[in-house]
Amino acid sequence: MNWAVMIPLIIFLLSIFVVGFWSSRYIKSSNNFLQEYFLGSRELGGFILAMTMIATYGSASSFIGGPGVAYTQGLAWVLLAMAQVATGYFVLMILGKKFAIYARKYEAITLIDFLRKRYRSKGVAIFSAISIIIFLFSAMTAQWVGGARLIESLTGLNYTSALFIFAVAVLVYVVIGGFRAVALTDTIQGVVMVGGTLIILIGTIIAGGGISNIMSDLIAENPNLVSPFGHDGSLTPAYVSSFWILVGVGVVALPQVTVRAMSYKSSKAMHRALITGTIVVGFIMLGMHLIGVFARPILPGIEVGDSVMPLITLEVLPPWLAGIVLAAPMAAIMSTVDSLLLLVSSTVVKDVYLNYVKPTASDKQVKRITLGVTTLLGVLVFALALSPPDLLIWLNLFAFGGLEAAFIWPVIMGLYWSRGNKHGALASMVVGVGTYILIHTFSPNVFGVHTVVFPIILSFIAFVAVSLITKDQSISTENQVNA
Amino acid sequence: MANNQIDPNDPRFKIANREALIGVGLVLFNFIWWFGFAYGLGSRPVEEYSYIFGLPSWFFYSCVVGFLIMVVLVIVAVKGFFVEVPFEDEEEEEIQ
């Protein structure tokens, strides 16, 4: 075992535990357990908000899978990844103030709370809960596999032990600290990610003998690596552009992202997060994916894409520094996993148990069940991740697309179209998820675009058409009746 | 039910709607810039590429400059056009 690499990583893990314990004090002293545990009492400032959004979103796919694909595809994959710059500003500008105001009025703690109260429909709430549990479970499993692979490649432990260490580390601070711990550790992790990206990028450029040198090496190997069409010319403009929907604007509908738009303290915090978020997300995406491309001439012939990041770091940096910056991908994975875990747990406890199983549960019972469910979910994911699926990035993107197809129109139209009603929302979710699964299974990339594009278009049509046909139930009429 | 009614004419929503439109505008601009430079300059044969700071020009303008321009635009939009509003004021006021 390489101790020079391990010691900084262990220190990093310990400092994250400290945050977990510190946050658990807030939970003990809070008089609203659910609001504190799942939203940190809506007290997030601008910097923490920006970092927690990026850390949650910048997952294993951007730190492990993404650079791995960039290594194979060349600059075209960096181009594709840059669609994510849009998430830095778009999500907060669209959900922004309106979502925050609605969430407070509705006293919403989860995305499902918002949907249930906006559409007043049991069907919408239940269908949402099912989608979140199914899709986030697959996303979480993908992340755990990534985390375990990373520990495996660093320590030389076998996969199962690596997964075990990872699982225990995440579970401890999420279970005891809740959302506040997750947001704070996300911030530490976000800072580590930015610093790590910069250091690895510089190290890689130096090791490759400068950018010009790296580029001519790439052209010598295969000129397509520096074109926007991918190593075999198969990345078409239509396909690459369709990622703007999957990883750019569609992110607006991901529950782990929307829940953060409920948690900010003030519009000032939101404004600051907009600026910080754009800078940080753009920098990390550009840097991380470039590292993947630049690594190619330095370390030719890597077969498993997922191992490009750890290998290049160990190659170009001295061991102690590698240990510090390898905490970055580790941080990315942990900070995604922790949010997903919390979100699935809040779905089970708040949206299913408290709404439909036992609405009269006492605060003490809720607390016990929350901790129990969170732990149980962690153990379940651990079991699933034991026999890991091969292509991490695709599993992860499958979950992203499914959630986006389910939620994008109910969320956006719920905010901006008063005629939208529960029938429209339900139709849109069923059509979105249904067509997503069908297209994904039977004919991915119809007309050369990513699978997510058509389900999103079809679910939009379903939402509008069904809402217009069943206009009697619209929220604006109910408002007038009640006023 | 009354405590979670949303007033569609809340003046804060006018501000929020305008800011959402700014967001849509920025994304459209971002996409056009990104797409135009990437495929405008990148569609030539690789031997004819020109390079800036060692990077192919299509990549430099589309991804590097495009990112920096978006940062500037977001700062201008937020500092110049975004209005701070309180998120929870009406509970005390009890209007209607």
Side-chain angles (χ1 to χ4, degrees), chain B residues 3-72:
Chain B
N3 65 336
N4 61 34
Q5 284 305 310
I6 300 283
D7 171 17
N9 298 316
D10 189 322
R12 293 175 299 173
F13 287 165
K14 223 173 146 182
I15 295 169
N17 291 351
R18 195 187 59 176
E19 291 172 2
L21 283 177
I22 294 177
V24 173
L26 283 175
V27 164
L28 289 176
F29 173 82
N30 195 173
F31 178 79
I32 292 167
W33 180 285
W34 170 92
F35 189 94
F37 277 106
Y39 296 105
L41 293 172
S43 297
R44 291 173 294 173
V46 175
E47 306 83 66
E48 292 169 26
Y49 282 178
S50 52
Y51 293 85
I52 299 165
F53 297 115
L55 294 165
S57 61
W58 71 264
F59 184 82
F60 181 78
Y61 287 113
S62 175
C63 295
V64 181
V65 179
F67 162 51
L68 296 175
I69 284 189
M70 287 321 295
V71 169
V72 172

Side-chain angles (χ1 to χ4, degrees), chain A residues 266-422:
Chain A
S266 61
S267 43
K268 197 174 173 185
M270 178 200 134
H271 292 173
R272 195 179 306 155
L274 267 168
I275 297 174
T276 318
T278 309
I279 297 173
V280 173
V281 80
F283 176 76
I284 291 180
M285 292 306 158
L286 184 62
M288 272 293 156
H289 290 86
L290 270 180
I291 293 166
V293 179
F294 290 176
R296 195 176 177 93
I298 303 165
L299 289 174
I302 296 179
E303 305 255 316
V304 183
D306 285 355
S307 60
V308 171
M309 263 328 278
L311 288 177
I312 189 71
T313 310
L314 291 169
E315 170 75 21
V316 302
L317 299 179
W320 61 273
L321 193 56
I324 295 173
V325 298
L326 275 177
M330 184 81 180
I333 296 169
M334 286 173 72
S335 60
T336 303
V337 163
D338 58 20
S339 321
L340 298 184
L341 188 59
L342 202 58
L343 201 81
V344 178
S345 149
S346 72
T347 306
V348 174
V349 175
K350 177 77 176 56
D351 301 316
V352 178
Y353 180 79
L354 273 183
N355 278 319
Y356 302 113
V357 183
K358 194 173 181 191
T360 54
S362 72
D363 218 37
K364 209 171 168 188
Q365 274 173 310
V366 172
K367 227 180 246 189
R368 225 181 29 232
I369 283 174
T370 304
L371 302 186
V373 165
T374 313
T375 314
L376 184 72
L377 285 168
V379 174
L380 268 177
V381 182
F382 174 78
L384 275 176
L386 271 176
S387 55
D390 280 334
L391 276 173
L392 176 65
I393 188 166
W394 297 121
L395 192 59
N396 196 21
L397 290 179
F398 180 80
F400 268 34
L403 287 166
E404 289 174 7
F407 293 119
I408 188 160
W409 301 116
V411 171
I412 292 184
M413 303 297 258
L415 290 175
Y416 294 100
W417 195 44
S418 56
R419 282 286 295 279
N421 64 29
K422 65 179 179 187

Side-chain angles (χ1 to χ4, degrees), chain A residues 32 50 105 118 123 175 196 220 229 237 246 270 283 389 469:
Chain A
N32 187 338
K105 275 239 166 107
R118 166 65 180 80
V175 169
F229 302 104
L246 182 69
M270 178 200 134
F283 176 76
I469 296 167

Side-chain angles (χ1 to χ4, degrees), chain A residues 52-90:
Chain A
T52 182
M53 290 196 89
I54 293 154
T56 302
Y57 178 65
S59 56
S61 70
S62 19
F63 278 82
I64 302 295
V69 185
Y71 177 89
T72 317
Q73 293 282 1
L75 287 180
W77 200 260
V78 190
L79 177 72
L80 184 152
M82 288 309 277
Q84 297 173 76
V85 173
T87 56
Y89 54 90
F90 189 72

Side-chain angles (χ1 to χ4, degrees), chain A residues 158-334:
Chain A
N158 64 32
Y159 178 81
T160 311
S161 332
L163 185 66
F164 184 75
I165 293 179
F166 182 77
V168 171
V170 171
L171 272 174
V172 167
Y173 75 84
V174 175
V175 169
I176 63 171
F179 187 84
R180 188 182 295 268
V182 169
L184 288 174
T185 50
D186 279 0
T187 307
I188 302 176
Q189 289 155 347
V191 173
V192 172
M193 277 148 78
V194 173
T197 306
L198 186 66
I199 295 170
I200 307 175
L201 183 62
I202 294 173
T204 310
I205 293 174
I206 294 172
I211 299 178
S212 300
N213 201 12
I214 294 174
M215 286 300 138
S216 39
D217 287 349
L218 288 172
I219 293 172
E221 190 194 336
N222 176 359
N224 285 336
L225 288 171
V226 302
S227 81
F229 302 104
H231 73 298
D232 54 0
S234 62
L235 292 176
T236 63
Y239 183 73
V240 173
S241 299
S242 64
F243 273 74
W244 276 75
I245 294 181
L246 182 69
V247 298
V249 299
V251 173
V252 132
L254 295 179
Q256 64 270 41
V257 171
T258 51
V259 74
R260 281 162 172 73
M262 296 178 172
S263 61
Y264 32 85
K265 204 197 283 182
S266 61
S267 43
K268 197 174 173 185
M270 178 200 134
H271 292 173
R272 195 179 306 155
L274 267 168
I275 297 174
T276 318
T278 309
I279 297 173
V280 173
V281 80
F283 176 76
I284 291 180
M285 292 306 158
L286 184 62
M288 272 293 156
H289 290 86
L290 270 180
I291 293 166
V293 179
F294 290 176
R296 195 176 177 93
I298 303 165
L299 289 174
I302 296 179
E303 305 255 316
V304 183
D306 285 355
S307 60
V308 171
M309 263 328 278
L311 288 177
I312 189 71
T313 310
L314 291 169
E315 170 75 21
V316 302
L317 299 179
W320 61 273
L321 193 56
I324 295 173
V325 298
L326 275 177
M330 184 81 180
I333 296 169
M334 286 173 72

Side-chain angles (χ1 to χ4, degrees), chain A residues 112 121-131 351-352 356 429:
Chain A
I112 298 177
S121 154
K122 215 173 177 174
V124 170
I126 291 173
F127 193 86
S128 312
I130 294 171
S131 311
D351 301 316
V352 178
Y356 302 113
M429 293 200 294

